[in-house]
Structure formats: C-alpha cells, structure tokens
Amino acid sequence: MVSGDPLVGRDAVSGKEKWARPGVTIPGAKLITGGGTLYVASAEYDGDVVSLDPATGKETWRSRLGKGYEQPCPVAADDRHVYVLAGILEEDLSSPTNVIAAIDATSGKIAWREQRDKGAEEFGITAAVVGGRLAYTDFRKNVTVRDTTTGRQLWMKKIGRSNYYRFALHENLLIVPDGQRLRAFALAAGTECWSLANEKFTWFNDPQVVDGVLYASDSAYGMWAVNPGTGKQIWHNKDLVGSAAEAWQFAKVGGALYGATEHDKNGGVHAFDAATGKLRWTYNDNTGENQKWYVIATGKRLAAMHAKRLYALPAV
C-alpha cells in the first residue's frame, strides 16, 4: 500500500494496481496497521479516523472522538484498538493540551481517552504496541508507556536526544537511541536494563530489530549489529565512509540485510552481509530527489520507494 491520493494497493510481484481509493486520506498520511486492518486519518479534515480492509481498500467504519477535538492522528494499532492523538480545542480554537485515546477495532467506539500533560506535543510522535503496552516517544525527548486496556500511564523517562523515526521493541524491552548510547528499558517498570556506548561525539541513529538482531547505523557511517536482549555487540563495521550513507530503516532476506537511507550521493538501498556488516552493493535511481528512501521485504523481492517512484528489486 502506498500513501497518496488516491490511496493505492499494489501486487508485490507484478506491481499492478489491485485497488485505489481517491479522497480517503491526505497524501503522505501515516498508514497504521494492526490486527489485519488499515487505519488512516480522513481526507476531509473532519476528525474522522477511517478503518479499511487492506486487501480490498473497502471502508469498514469511521469514528471520531467528538467535536471538541482537533484532527485526530492514528499513531499505532493492535488486534483490539487503534490509538490516536488529538488536540483539545479551546474557545479561541487553540489546543494547548491533547489526549491519547483508544478506539475499538471492531465497533469504532471509544474505549478510553487520557489527557496528556500540559505542553506535551501532538507532533513528532513515534509509537508501537507490544504485550499490552503502548509505547511512544516525542520531540520533547520523552519515552512514555501506557496500559492498552485502561490507558493508564505506567512510566515516563526523559532521554537526551529526540527519537525521530523509530525505537525498537524486543520481548519485554524498549530500546531507544540516546545520543552516544543505545538504552534498553523494561516495558513493565521503566528500569534501564542495558546501555551500549558509541565513540565520543558519535551518535546512534534509530535502531530496528530484525530476525532477533538489533541493527543501527551511526553518525560516523558505522553499522552495528547488537544482541537486543543483552546489549552485547555482535559486529561493528567502520569501513563505510565514502561508500555508504547512514541507513535509517532495515529489511532482511536470508543472509542479506538491506538499509534505506536519507538522500545522499552514496545512498539509496544498501545491501549488507548480515553476518559481518560488509557492504555488498548499493542501488540508487540517480534522480537527485532530495527525499529519504524506504525498503521492505516481500518474498524474494524488495519494494523500495523514493520520492514518487516505487521499485521492485531482487533480494540477492
């Protein structure tokens, strides 16, 4: 599925369009999936959250928190709920405070809503759900975990560096980049379980756990593989300066690890040896588009997106 107007679902093997829904959501909207359902914010800016069948693109329900809330934004979903953020509208139409809420995945009814602390931002939110816990980070450098059944905040931690794209989850751990360190917190209690330090003045980019291994790049063009349960280094490749850009998002097929990068003349989609971190090849479309790349694995192919182009690459 590709976010745009229309919202389009394509066959991963042939690239042929399977369905298209014009006017269902805003171009570039987050596509939130959970429990086999796709959730998007309405294109009408009317406060609706729209539930769709991802196989057909057909709408199953629409829901809203109420007239007193600014445009809700879905941030995460699981089998039971879709979780949304929305500003609380004041009489002057400002929204200095906001709520996080859960909408029932079957009925579209509100399961719970909790007001966040005053000053907590609605934007820059990265969220994920695991084991009955909703975890999210924000531009104010907070890590917050809530109970998915009640919405009750379980704990909140300050970190020293904003989390821009993602954090990693592994079993009962939440792993965030915090400047020169990767830090793992227990989801249940928020206690720090391990910390991995990088070299001085070198910060970690956002990590991702793939097939039980945590992968992350850093600002010195290094690539890391780490045991996500213990924080112990598996390998650290320092030989990528001048040959590779910093990867921010990963996929894996067999023994190959693929990394999508920000715009860079040495960027695009990198293929690494998953066992050693050695760079195998880089694909770049040479369009010069100043937008980041995305990559996902689908069978023996990779789907890669850059600006307004979607590519199928062999996973070799």
Side-chain angles (χ1 to χ4, degrees):
M1 297 172 290
V2 182
S3 180
D5 191 11
L7 178 67
V8 177
R10 294 189 177 274
D11 185 274
V13 175
S14 67
K16 291 182 179 179
E17 183 180 295
K18 298 190 73 173
W19 53 261
R21 287 291 311 277
V24 70
T25 191
I26 57 176
K30 284 186 176 181
L31 304 183
I32 302 298
T33 57
T37 302
L38 169 66
Y39 301 99
V40 293
S42 168
E44 301 298 324
Y45 295 94
D46 55 5
D48 280 354
V49 175
V50 184
S51 167
L52 303 169
D53 178 351
T56 63
K58 292 182 179 179
E59 184 177 315
T60 53
W61 52 252
R62 287 180 176 241
S63 179
R64 66 178 63 186
L65 299 184
K67 294 182 179 180
Y69 297 93
E70 193 181 27
Q71 178 75 11
C73 176
V75 293
D78 57 19
D79 291 346
R80 299 171 59 198
H81 303 127
V82 55
Y83 304 92
V84 300
L85 278 173
I88 302 172
L89 287 173
E90 303 291 342
E91 290 184 1
D92 62 358
L93 300 182
S94 65
S95 54
T97 55
N98 58 81
V99 297
I100 189 159
I103 298 174
D104 186 272
T106 302
S107 65
K109 294 181 179 179
I110 298 168
W112 52 258
R113 60 186 149 205
E114 292 288 327
Q115 184 169 329
R116 298 173 70 214
D117 294 339
K118 190 171 183 179
E121 296 182 14
E122 300 170 55
F123 308 102
I125 301 293
T126 302
V129 189
V130 65
R133 303 287 187 263
L134 171 65
Y136 54 92
T137 61
D138 58 43
F139 281 167
R140 286 189 179 272
K141 306 176 184 178
N142 301 312
V143 181
T144 305
V145 173
R146 292 180 179 272
D147 183 278
T148 58
T149 301
T150 64
R152 181 173 63 90
Q153 182 170 304
L154 301 176
W155 56 268
M156 188 271 286
K157 297 281 186 180
K158 290 284 185 181
I159 56 175
R161 182 176 169 84
S162 296
N163 184 275
Y164 293 105
Y165 298 126
R166 68 167 48 81
F167 51 84
L169 295 171
H170 176 72
E171 296 177 350
N172 63 339
L173 296 178
L174 182 153
I175 306 163
V176 293
D178 190 358
Q180 294 177 206
R181 294 187 295 158
L182 288 174
R183 302 175 68 188
F185 298 99
L187 270 170
T191 52
E192 187 165 331
C193 298
W194 59 256
S195 175
L196 177 66
N198 208 329
E199 298 171 357
K200 192 174 182 180
F201 305 122
T202 303
W203 61 88
F204 282 105
N205 297 316
D206 296 324
Q208 188 173 347
V209 174
V210 187
D211 285 350
V213 177
L214 184 145
Y215 298 101
S217 64
D218 64 32
S219 60
Y221 296 90
M223 274 289 297
W224 294 73
V226 177
N227 183 319
T230 64
K232 291 183 178 179
Q233 174 186 317
I234 299 172
W235 50 254
H236 177 200
N237 184 350
K238 301 181 182 181
D239 303 326
L240 301 177
V241 175
S243 61
E246 299 171 27
W248 72 276
Q249 184 245 327
F250 300 96
K252 188 172 180 283
V253 179
L257 175 71
Y258 303 94
T261 77
E262 298 275 6
H263 174 72
D264 189 289
K265 65 179 181 180
N266 294 319
V269 177
H270 297 320
F272 302 99
D273 186 310
T276 65
K278 182 179 179 181
L279 182 66
R280 290 179 172 178
W281 51 259
T282 297
Y283 173 80
N284 196 305
D285 57 11
N286 296 314
T287 62
E289 293 281 1
N290 190 25
Q291 296 188 39
K292 60 179 175 280
W293 287 78
Y294 298 82
V295 64
I296 61 168
T298 172
K300 295 183 179 180
R301 287 179 169 83
L302 303 173
M305 188 169 69
H306 184 217
K308 296 182 179 180
R309 295 175 173 84
L310 186 67
Y311 303 95
L313 305 176
V316 295

